[in-house]
Amino acid sequence: MISFIRGLVADTTENAVILENNGIGYEIFMTGSSIEQVSRIDGEVKIHTYFQVREDAMQLYGFLSKDDLEMFRLLLNVNGIGPKAALGVLAGLTADELRFAVLSDDIKTISKAPGIGKKTAQKLILELKDKLKLEDAFEKKLAHEQEAASVSGSLIHDGRQEAAEALIALGYSSTDAMKAVRKVTDVSPDDVEALLKAALKQL
């Protein structure tokens, strides 16, 4: 119903932003880091929103990017995860980190999120894995890095995508390829050949 709100930050609380638009203050629940980011912006801010209607309450949940909102919606499809838990996951992990954690069966990373135990993390991976693609995850991560780089003035190219794709071409599953590449931490992310060699040792 309400896909985004553009307005001025009138106030912030511990877990929400009050956004003023046309004389109306909207209370929008957000992650702590997003609240901090928003509070530093002078002038209008655009917040992508998810409008939840329950018998006893109507609440808005907000995100600074459409991608975060999409991941939030995906998390809500997982049995047993409500808006607060989904927001908790995105408070602990970026959308990119969450995608890669799901694709590489990384229960440990996901269960670090507040309110998410090992069992819920396993369920989350099980239910979301089919809805995510490795190629899309890399494309989105690269787009985000390029966006960040254009802000800082330098372009980042990450060789991890090429290394993982090369492993998949060699016949390894996308999960194993992702796991192996993620385990390599002592090689420059730009050196595809070195990444590939180190990842093959992991396998």
Side-chain angles (χ1 to χ4, degrees), residues 22 30-31 37 39 52 82 101 104-105 107 130-131 136 185:
N22 284 328
M30 299 178 83
T31 65
Q37 260 178 282
S39 64
Q52 189 206 26
S104 60
D105 290 329
I107 292 167
D130 296 342
K131 294 172 184 166
D136 292 348
T185 53

Side-chain angles (χ1 to χ4, degrees), residues 1 31 34 36 45 67 74-75 84 92 96-98 101 110 132 158-160 168-169 177-180 193:
M1 183 185 159
T31 65
S34 294
E36 200 182 314
V45 62
D67 190 29
L74 269 181
L75 286 166
K84 276 185 183 169
D96 287 324
E97 286 167 346
L98 180 58
I110 296 170
L132 298 170
D158 200 331
R160 283 175 291 206
I168 294 163
M178 272 300 309
K179 271 185 183 169
E193 202 177 323

Side-chain angles (χ1 to χ4, degrees), residues 15 27 30 35-36 58 60 66 82 89 93 114 127 145:
N15 50 14
E27 183 183 28
M30 299 178 83
I35 292 170
E36 200 182 314
M58 287 194 285
L60 280 166
K66 236 177 173 177
V89 173
L93 300 167
E127 292 190 31
E145 284 177 350

Side-chain angles (χ1 to χ4, degrees), residues 151-167:
V151 173
S152 66
S154 66
L155 186 65
I156 305 161
H157 172 67
D158 200 331
R160 283 175 291 206
Q161 175 179 0
E162 286 175 45
E165 283 171 0
L167 289 170

